[in-house]
Amino acid sequence: MAKTAKKTTAIGVDIGGGSVKLGLVSSDGKLLARSSFLTPRKTKHHFLDVLCAHIRDLQATARQRGLAISGVGVGAPGAIDVERGFVYFFPNIDGWENTPLKQILQTHLRLPVFVDNDANAMALAESYFGAGKKAKSMIALTLGTGIGGGMVFEGKLFHGSHFSAAEMGHLIINENGPLCACGTRGCVEAYVGTSYFVREIEKRLKKNKKSILHKWLKQGKKLSPQLVGEAARAGDALSGQMWRDVGQKLGTALTGLINILNPDTIVIGGGIAENWPLLYKPLVRTLNKKAFPIAARSVKVVRAKMGQEAGLIGAAALAFTAKNK
Amino acid sequence: MAKTAKKTTAIGVDIGGGSVKLGLVSSDGKLLARSSFLTPRKTKHHFLDVLCAHIRDLQATARQRGLAISGVGVGAPGAIDVERGFVYFFPNIDGWENTPLKQILQTHLRLPVFVDNDANAMALAESYFGAGKKAKSMIALTLGTGIGGGMVFEGKLFHGSHFSAAEMGHLIINENGPLCACGTRGCVEAYVGTSYFVREIEKRLKKNKKSILHKWLKQGKKLSPQLVGEAARAGDALSGQMWRDVGQKLGTALTGLINILNPDTIVIGGGIAENWPLLYKPLVRTLNKKAFPIAARSVKVVRAKMGQEAGLIGAAALAFTAKNK
């Protein structure tokens, strides 16, 4: 008798500057098998060979377990034409300019392939399986060196007219503010990104000799949002104020965002969000003070749930979403 | 023989604080017949009686001309639950709290009724029949005392989770800026709205005695964006600078907006936009300088086309859109 109810899976590929992660993912978001390799730096041709070999291994795994594969989803770190699965460029991996990735992979693998940028894949993971599961309109932000993000409205990623939507880090909150890496003044990323955070706390430490951070730095600890979080939790006034300021800046950016988009859920992940209570309280206080009352009351701000695997599982979700269209 | 190809029309109703305008609108956006009445201030009951009488007159007109009516669309000045056609309140018309407007009108008229807020109706008019006709993703702004707006993505209005999206005026561009009517500092409306414009130019005139505006004001002319526009066109330096500043502020707000939404078209209407070249040049210069290159290159900023009738024709379009769902 033929198996009529094969469990559906998809293969997710998360291309990073350092490594490429792959996973066989079930349609309920479980990681059933995985592999990875260091991002090949020689030629794109070689990269694609290794990638296809890893995907074929996962195909074999699925076959052995009697699992159907509905497609391959790729989350990639760069500018993508999502409709064509075409890579314009990867800022941190050379040689990928103008690569028809979807077409190449489909030819080699004989499976439907879907390509999107990594921030959108992460947002989709939270929307399908994580903190935004019940959301009708969700905005996800990942706070790291920069701010990445994605928006999922009624189960679909919002890409904009040329697939460059959701640059959340580049909402301007102070036209006279510090210079952002993008060249514009006062983007929220210039206040909340890790590197600004560290520079700013260094500046404040010069004026404040009482902070416990001075002692910790002498002990060889490294200045980071995490360390400033520890200090804040230990009652260090300077560190507490720094986190309040960061939460307030992010809250000001989200005020604009929710006044425009009126989402029901904002999901926040990434390194900075690991200090959740320190970030959350001033952020929500700011939202409630500054945003339109209906918009502020409509929205829940929650912490991301999918962790390190968000990119991988979200990439697989690209194949599931496309199927549901 | 029965008429098999009756031309389809809809009745648009534009409720304003001063008057209520109605029109019989063809599916290609032509205003075939119209009527209006002063906004009744006595009771809601009386208001609805007059409204239904006017709608019935337009129904009769359609019947006489052999035109089918697909529905009634209402653009209303307040907070609406669009799905239920339920009015939460009108800030400038008393007694409308919690009115199931769609249900009431449908019962009386036996026609499908659609209710949305007036800014969304205007955006829909531009998207269907006006400057955003070819847009896949359009954002419309109306610059007056405040800033109204609406967003149409792939032919559909974007409402957000609780129908309060598109408060474009309340993007914050300077967290330390002037206080906005909403209570928050540095919203773009606090820089670009008519009342701020006039207050700011008064302040600048006190420090600048050479402006031609001093002479014009002595002649009894009234200070307005329009007058400052005339002065700028006549070569008045102070007035030229004022318009450059306003265009730049609006450009800064639109930078955030296009970095987030990557629209292909931004349509700008309203009183301030009547000085189009003065507004457009610094606005687009700012966008090109500040926004992400892909987002800036993707977008056309154009002047609204639908003029005074936008609200009315857009209200009718609510009925056409709903039909196309």
Side-chain angles (χ1 to χ4, degrees):
Chain A
M1 219 175 82
K3 282 183 195 163
T4 48
K6 265 192 176 181
K7 207 171 161 190
T8 303
T9 65
I11 292 172
V13 179
D14 182 14
I15 301 181
S19 71
V20 178
K21 296 191 262 179
L22 296 95
L24 181 68
V25 178
S26 68
S27 59
D28 55 352
K30 299 237 157 41
L31 198 52
L32 307 175
R34 54 186 304 163
S35 70
S36 67
F37 56 95
L38 293 178
T39 306
R41 292 285 171 182
K42 279 190 286 188
T43 65
K44 184 173 71 183
H45 187 78
H46 172 62
F47 189 129
L48 287 165
D49 277 352
V50 179
L51 178 59
C52 285
H54 275 259
I55 292 174
R56 285 201 189 94
D57 283 351
L58 285 174
Q59 281 185 282
T61 304
R63 218 176 298 122
Q64 284 160 14
R65 302 194 195 171
L67 299 166
I69 293 176
S70 62
V72 177
V74 182
I80 315 275
D81 176 332
V82 173
E83 232 161 70
R84 294 187 292 147
F86 186 92
V87 175
Y88 291 121
F89 65 91
F90 293 157
N92 298 315
I93 312 177
D94 289 340
W96 278 77
E97 291 75 16
N98 301 319
T99 302
L101 181 58
K102 178 191 177 100
Q103 194 190 314
I104 294 171
L105 291 179
Q106 284 193 161
T107 307
H108 282 76
L109 300 166
R110 302 189 176 277
L111 272 172
V113 173
F114 307 91
V115 187
D116 208 322
N117 75 55
D118 44 10
N120 279 340
M122 282 192 270
L124 200 62
E126 293 295 341
S127 162
Y128 262 58
F129 308 117
K133 218 170 159 177
K134 290 176 186 162
K136 195 181 135 194
S137 50
M138 186 204 80
I139 298 175
L141 287 93
T142 308
L143 310 178
T145 312
I147 298 182
M151 305 185 283
V152 183
F153 302 136
E154 301 191 340
K156 277 188 190 172
L157 280 164
F158 184 89
H159 288 108
S161 70
H162 289 72
F163 312 104
S164 83
E167 288 291 352
M168 311 301 180
H170 305 283
L171 263 171
I172 296 165
I173 59 170
N174 185 346
E175 53 178 347
N176 307 317
L179 209 58
C180 178
C182 78
T184 296
R185 286 203 175 274
C187 295
V188 60
E189 185 170 303
Y191 288 102
V192 177
T194 312
S195 49
Y196 170 82
F197 191 111
V198 171
R199 267 202 324 276
E200 177 67 17
I201 197 87
E202 278 171 348
K203 210 159 61 180
R204 294 187 186 189
L205 279 171
K206 280 181 193 151
K207 290 185 207 154
N208 176 318
K209 296 298 170 195
K210 286 190 289 185
S211 168
I212 196 173
L213 286 169
H214 287 294
K215 190 177 139 199
W216 289 0
L217 293 175
K218 270 182 208 144
Q219 292 169 352
K221 288 185 180 168
K222 203 170 158 278
L223 205 51
S224 69
Q226 195 52 40
L227 191 74
V228 180
E230 274 171 49
R233 282 185 291 271
D236 185 56
L238 176 100
S239 300
Q241 187 58 49
M242 182 68 198
W243 272 102
R244 278 194 294 282
D245 290 346
V246 164
Q248 190 246 312
K249 300 291 177 194
L250 189 59
T252 299
L254 294 188
T255 293
L257 207 57
I258 75 172
N259 282 346
I260 299 295
L261 293 171
N262 181 214
D264 56 20
T265 308
I266 294 177
V267 177
I268 302 182
I272 296 273
E274 282 166 26
N275 297 278
W276 187 247
L278 290 171
L279 183 71
Y280 179 79
K281 279 180 208 167
L283 191 166
V284 168
R285 204 183 307 127
T286 305
L287 270 192
N288 287 336
K289 193 178 143 203
K290 293 192 171 187
F292 262 49
I294 297 181
R297 277 199 307 267
S298 310
V299 72
K300 275 188 313 179
V301 179
V302 294
R303 195 174 166 182
K305 270 188 184 170
M306 300 297 292
Q308 298 298 323
E309 315 298 357
L312 190 54
I313 293 174
L318 292 170
F320 295 131
T321 336
K323 242 192 87 202
N324 295 338
K325 257 183 195 168
Chain B
M1 215 175 86
K3 282 184 196 163
T4 49
K6 266 193 177 180
K7 208 174 162 189
T8 303
T9 65
I11 292 173
V13 180
D14 183 12
I15 301 181
S19 72
V20 178
K21 295 190 262 180
L22 296 96
L24 181 68
V25 178
S26 67
S27 59
D28 55 351
K30 300 235 158 38
L31 197 52
L32 307 175
R34 55 185 304 163
S35 70
S36 66
F37 56 95
L38 292 180
T39 305
R41 293 281 170 184
K42 278 190 286 187
T43 66
K44 183 171 72 182
H45 188 79
H46 171 64
F47 189 129
L48 287 165
D49 276 352
V50 180
L51 177 59
C52 285
H54 276 259
I55 292 174
R56 285 202 190 93
D57 282 350
L58 286 173
Q59 279 185 284
T61 306
R63 215 175 302 123
Q64 284 159 12
R65 302 193 194 172
L67 300 166
I69 293 177
S70 62
V72 177
V74 182
I80 315 275
D81 175 333
V82 173
E83 234 161 69
R84 296 187 291 146
F86 185 92
V87 175
Y88 290 121
F89 65 94
F90 292 156
N92 299 315
I93 312 177
D94 289 340
W96 277 78
E97 291 74 17
N98 301 320
T99 302
L101 181 57
K102 176 191 177 101
Q103 195 190 312
I104 294 171
L105 291 180
Q106 285 193 161
T107 307
H108 281 77
L109 300 166
R110 303 188 175 278
L111 272 172
V113 173
F114 307 91
V115 186
D116 208 324
N117 75 55
D118 44 10
N120 279 340
M122 281 192 270
L124 200 62
E126 293 295 342
S127 162
Y128 261 59
F129 307 116
K133 216 170 160 179
K134 290 177 184 162
K136 195 181 136 195
S137 49
M138 186 205 80
I139 298 175
L141 288 92
T142 307
L143 310 178
T145 312
I147 298 182
M151 305 186 285
V152 183
F153 302 137
E154 301 190 340
K156 277 189 193 172
L157 280 165
F158 183 90
H159 288 108
S161 69
H162 290 72
F163 312 103
S164 83
E167 287 292 352
M168 310 301 180
H170 305 282
L171 263 170
I172 296 165
I173 59 169
N174 185 346
E175 52 177 347
N176 307 317
L179 209 59
C180 177
C182 77
T184 296
R185 287 203 174 274
C187 295
V188 61
E189 186 170 301
Y191 288 102
V192 177
T194 313
S195 49
Y196 169 81
F197 190 111
V198 171
R199 266 202 323 277
E200 177 67 18
I201 198 85
E202 278 172 348
K203 209 158 65 182
R204 294 186 185 189
L205 278 171
K206 280 181 194 152
K207 290 185 205 154
N208 176 317
K209 298 296 172 197
K210 285 190 289 184
S211 168
I212 195 172
L213 286 169
H214 287 294
K215 191 178 139 199
W216 288 1
L217 293 175
K218 270 181 210 146
Q219 292 169 355
K221 289 185 180 169
K222 203 170 159 277
L223 205 50
S224 70
Q226 196 51 40
L227 191 74
V228 180
E230 272 171 50
R233 281 185 292 272
D236 185 55
L238 176 101
S239 300
Q241 188 58 48
M242 182 67 201
W243 272 102
R244 278 193 295 281
D245 291 346
V246 165
Q248 190 246 311
K249 300 294 178 191
L250 189 60
T252 299
L254 294 188
T255 293
L257 206 59
I258 75 171
N259 282 345
I260 299 295
L261 293 171
N262 182 214
D264 56 20
T265 309
I266 294 177
V267 177
I268 302 181
I272 297 273
E274 279 164 28
N275 296 276
W276 188 248
L278 290 171
L279 183 71
Y280 178 79
K281 280 180 206 166
L283 191 168
V284 168
R285 204 184 307 127
T286 305
L287 270 192
N288 287 335
K289 193 178 144 203
K290 293 193 172 185
F292 262 49
I294 297 180
R297 277 199 306 268
S298 310
V299 74
K300 275 188 311 179
V301 179
V302 294
R303 195 176 165 182
K305 271 188 183 169
M306 301 297 291
Q308 298 297 324
E309 315 298 356
L312 189 56
I313 292 174
L318 292 170
F320 295 131
T321 335
K323 240 193 88 200
N324 294 337
K325 256 184 193 166

